[in-house]
Amino acid sequence: MASALINVPAKAKRGDIIEIKTLMSHIMETGYRHTASGEVVPRNIITSFTCRFNGTEIFRADLFPAIAANPFFTFFTTATESGKFEFEWTGDRGFSETASASITVE
Amino acid sequence: MRFYGAIVVALLIANAAFAAEIPQAERRSGHSFMKPDTRAMQDEETANPGMLWVLDGETLWKRKLGAANKACADCHGDARTSMKGVAARYPAYDKATGRPIDLEQRVNSCRSNHQQATPLPYESRELLALTAFVARQSQGTAIETGDDPELAPFIAKGRELYMQRQGQLNLACANCHDDNWDKKLAGSAITQGHPTGYPLYRLEWQSLGSLQRRLRACITGIRAQAYDYGAPELVELELYLMSRARGMPMEAPGVRP
């Protein structure tokens, strides 16, 4: 089970600065912890987050083991035209999740 | 000097003897002890990590499983109406066992009896997701736990445990959460211990956790032996705490530091 929560305003005026918020469910296991018997718990983190708007990349972040579980990203962009934001999270063990949200710009 | 010493001793004894319960009007949710940014994280649905479990719970609610091949929704329908206010009444009296059961145990009893599926362990992702989803439907509802007269002896037992000094630190729950909730412990607010937001997301846990997880952590903190998950003592303590918080609004899934 992996779920994402996305907060993108449904409508905005052209030129408005809008805030985008995303929350992705992930344990973000650092790879630095050991079990009681001394074995290393293998690293399992999200390594990359990208946001594309109408196909063009507008935001990217690399993630590292120090980032907490269920990473929350918030960033700003300028509303230029109506379209679709596409979000993608990729990580260890073939982790790959996507989500999208549309905006109407008037 | 001896005179003042005697006064201090007398005051300490008076304090111990009259350790008062928190007046109704002064009751505060743990939410109000938090910094504004942590409060904002809980209050905004798309920033509250607990909502990830609520989403998962909504999926599980509709999933058919067990030998009976039934989903929760097949009996209970739309949780938005059928589960509204339910979590605000738990732990509740269970006629079959003659004891109070908490929401986790209710979900598992439904699984064994009606879905004929295996019960879920406490703190498993699925059980947390289901209880978070059910508890979310009571958001803003006033807590009503303890209405049933059958519960009275169990509330009394829970209260006894709450007042009982235990562990190497020889502390009762009441010593912190009734007597010193306006103070700090190692820089953290002590809070009044009203379980209004469970299951809740603790930033320290980096996960959602049940009230029993919280209670076990507190019991370990006073250097006492924690009861096992599902132990009657823990359910009675949950019951007392919820009945003590009667009338306060539900806020699950909460966020705490």
Side-chain angles (χ1 to χ4, degrees):
Chain A
M1 285 192 288
S3 34
L5 285 165
I6 308 290
N7 188 346
V8 170
K11 279 183 183 177
K13 288 204 180 85
R14 197 174 307 273
D16 274 1
I17 292 171
I18 54 167
E19 187 176 14
I20 294 173
K21 298 175 190 172
T22 69
L23 186 61
M24 168 50 73
S25 151
H26 199 286
I27 56 165
M28 297 295 284
E29 182 60 56
T30 61
Y32 298 128
R33 298 197 308 156
H34 294 77
T35 61
S37 56
E39 290 154 52
V40 173
V41 181
R43 193 186 89 162
N44 180 13
I45 64 167
I46 298 174
T47 49
S48 168
F49 167 72
T50 52
C51 172
R52 280 182 290 274
F53 181 65
N54 289 343
T56 311
E57 185 175 297
I58 59 163
F59 184 87
R60 169 187 285 275
D62 292 333
L63 286 81
F64 296 93
I67 293 173
N70 309 307
F72 178 65
F73 280 104
T74 170
F75 55 93
F76 295 87
T77 186
T78 310
T80 50
E81 55 178 345
S82 298
K84 194 165 148 191
F85 292 95
E86 288 171 297
F87 306 93
E88 188 180 9
W89 296 259
T90 55
D92 296 337
R93 301 189 191 183
F95 182 84
S96 177
E97 289 289 330
T98 56
S100 64
S102 297
I103 187 169
T104 309
V105 174
E106 292 159 342
Chain B
M1 203 59 218
R2 191 179 290 164
F3 174 71
Y4 287 113
I7 289 180
V8 168
V9 169
L11 282 174
L12 280 175
I13 291 168
N15 248 342
F18 300 111
E21 286 177 30
I22 301 163
Q24 292 280 312
E26 282 175 39
R27 291 185 308 170
R28 283 168 60 188
S29 155
H31 184 269
S32 71
F33 289 82
M34 302 197 297
K35 291 187 179 137
D37 49 352
T38 322
R39 267 185 260 165
M41 188 191 275
Q42 172 176 321
D43 296 343
E44 195 185 315
E45 278 201 11
T46 48
N48 181 339
M51 292 306 290
L52 295 168
W53 276 259
V54 173
L55 276 182
D56 287 345
E58 192 169 7
T59 312
L60 290 173
W61 183 261
K62 295 171 194 152
R63 185 174 294 167
K64 289 184 190 291
L65 54 90
N69 196 33
K70 270 192 202 165
C72 308
D74 290 336
C75 292
H76 297 289
D78 185 357
R80 270 162 249 282
T81 48
S82 68
M83 290 296 120
K84 194 174 163 53
V86 170
R89 296 195 286 271
Y90 270 77
Y93 186 73
D94 178 48
K95 284 202 180 65
T97 53
R99 292 196 44 83
I101 58 169
D102 61 18
L103 199 56
E104 286 81 1
Q105 292 171 323
R106 166 54 70 205
V107 169
N108 273 333
S109 118
C110 252
R111 277 177 75 90
S112 333
N113 298 329
H114 302 301
Q115 296 178 301
Q116 291 162 36
T118 46
L120 296 165
Y122 270 92
E123 308 314 298
S124 61
R125 176 109 194 161
E126 289 90 345
L127 189 56
L128 287 171
L130 279 167
T131 50
F133 176 64
V134 170
R136 180 67 178 177
Q137 312 311 320
S138 298
Q139 207 207 11
T141 314
I143 294 172
E144 291 174 22
T145 304
D147 263 350
D148 191 337
E150 302 265 28
L151 287 173
F154 300 100
I155 296 176
K157 272 172 142 176
R159 185 175 185 279
E160 207 172 292
L161 186 56
Y162 182 87
M163 299 293 175
Q164 173 69 51
R165 283 181 183 269
Q166 54 178 323
Q168 290 178 329
L169 299 189
N170 198 30
L171 286 171
C173 312
N175 294 128
C176 286
H177 299 289
D178 277 351
D179 302 345
N180 289 298
W181 57 264
D182 51 349
K183 299 183 185 70
K184 297 215 166 192
L185 182 65
S188 305
I190 290 173
T191 83
Q192 300 178 346
H194 297 300
T196 50
Y198 284 88
L200 60 70
Y201 192 91
R202 274 199 77 197
L203 301 178
E204 184 191 309
W205 293 338
Q206 299 202 17
S207 170
L208 208 70
S210 68
L211 178 54
Q212 292 208 2
R213 179 172 179 183
R214 171 70 266 184
L215 295 177
R216 281 168 47 89
C218 253
I219 295 171
T220 307
I222 56 167
R223 315 281 187 272
Q225 177 73 45
Y227 301 99
D228 290 334
Y229 278 109
E233 289 86 352
L234 282 182
V235 179
E236 284 156 10
L237 199 48
E238 283 183 274
L239 173 65
Y240 171 64
L241 290 175
M242 281 294 274
S243 67
R244 179 172 165 267
R246 275 167 65 101
M248 297 177 75
M250 290 281 289
E251 48 175 308
V255 174
R256 295 292 182 272

